[in-house]
Amino acid sequence: MLLAALRDEVCEANHQLAAAGLVSLSFGNASGLDRASGVLLIKPSGIACDSVRPDDLVAVAIADGSVVDGSLRPSSDTSTHIELYRRFASIGGVVHTHSSYATAFAQAQVAIPCLGTTHADHFDGPVPVSRPLGDDEIDGDYERATGIVIAETIDALGIDPLAMPAVLVASHGPFTWGSTAVEAATNAQAVELVAEMAHRTLAIAGDAAALGDRLRQRHFRRKHGSGAYYGQETGSTRSFDS
């Protein structure tokens, strides 16, 4: 079986999305990339995340999007995943969900504000929302255009993709990524958590202030980057140039 170890990891990531309540029906998908071979594994289209098996996953070449192994049709979001792998050389996993709170922010076309240290522990600032896609993008290569607008949103921040491993696609929902598929799924859980917290905070105090830069940066840097001291050396905290 092609890329057996990666199949197990990507299958686990899809199951993790379901177990965390981030996906309903067949909405959502996780993929993982083997950069050495230039092949990604992704959930088949229309298959529920909690029922996917390792041998169900479809192997797709990132060079041209062709299926290189598997009898099922790959996720309709495959071109979005491919575009992110091409644009973000440091990532090895991509996840898309329609989780309720994060998707609500995406539908409102509002970034998830950083209102407290829980958010800052995971994301280096507000989780951004993309611009809406234009008619030509919707009518053209829509899924690839979605990947392009995600990368455009991160590029505009001037930030490492692993420091902000999420974008809300306007009117659509959250996409997350990480160094592995499982990490991308963990980031999807974190997006939904901070979105729910922000929603509840703003319901209590609509004028709640954003977390100050000094405290935000202290919380983020203690967990991520070269100076991180949270957790153990064998932990799975994200690593990037800070």
Side-chain angles (χ1 to χ4, degrees):
M1 185 166 58
L2 181 67
L3 302 174
L6 184 59
R7 284 182 183 275
D8 288 340
E9 179 194 319
V10 174
C11 189
E12 179 185 349
N14 278 283
H15 290 180
Q16 184 175 322
L17 298 179
L22 301 182
V23 293
S24 300
L25 305 175
S26 60
F27 297 152
N29 45 72
S31 74
L33 174 66
D34 178 68
R35 287 202 177 269
S37 64
V39 171
L40 68 86
L41 296 173
I42 194 165
K43 183 182 77 68
S45 180
I47 304 295
C49 286
D50 58 357
S51 64
V52 70
R53 301 170 301 176
D55 57 355
D56 292 330
L57 298 171
V58 186
V60 178
I62 65 168
D64 59 9
S66 63
V67 173
V68 297
D69 187 50
S71 60
L72 298 174
R73 182 182 300 169
S75 167
S76 57
D77 294 314
T78 297
S79 293
T80 306
H81 289 235
I82 288 174
E83 189 64 27
L84 295 179
Y85 287 127
R86 289 174 176 171
R87 298 287 290 266
F88 301 154
S90 59
I91 72 172
V94 174
V95 159
H96 173 49
T97 77
H98 292 254
S99 60
S100 296
Y101 284 93
T103 298
F105 274 90
Q107 291 179 166
Q109 299 185 28
V110 173
I112 303 171
C114 182
L115 300 176
T117 60
T118 306
H119 184 125
D121 280 338
H122 207 86
F123 300 104
D124 193 10
V127 176
V129 62
S130 76
R131 63 169 175 81
L133 293 176
D135 289 348
D136 57 334
E137 294 169 312
I138 295 169
D139 294 339
D141 193 346
Y142 169 66
E143 288 80 12
R144 180 168 181 260
T146 300
I148 291 172
V149 78
I150 292 170
E152 174 187 290
T153 302
I154 293 298
D155 289 346
L157 294 177
I159 195 170
D160 189 297
L162 290 177
M164 181 53 69
V167 164
L168 309 178
V169 176
S171 304
H172 189 166
F175 281 80
T176 62
W177 48 86
S179 58
T180 66
V182 168
E183 186 175 281
T186 298
N187 291 336
Q189 292 181 62
V191 166
E192 181 65 3
L193 175 64
V194 300
E196 181 176 1
M197 287 182 171
H199 177 271
R200 291 178 181 273
T201 300
L202 294 171
I204 295 169
D207 58 352
L211 188 67
D213 285 347
R214 186 178 297 276
L215 185 55
R216 176 181 59 80
Q217 291 173 3
R218 179 58 188 260
H219 268 260
F220 186 79
R221 299 301 173 188
R222 72 177 187 168
K223 293 190 72 171
H224 309 290
S226 58
Y229 58 88
Y230 174 89
Q232 306 304 314
E233 291 184 2
T234 56
S236 59
T237 54
R238 304 192 300 277
S239 177
F240 55 91
D241 294 331
S242 57

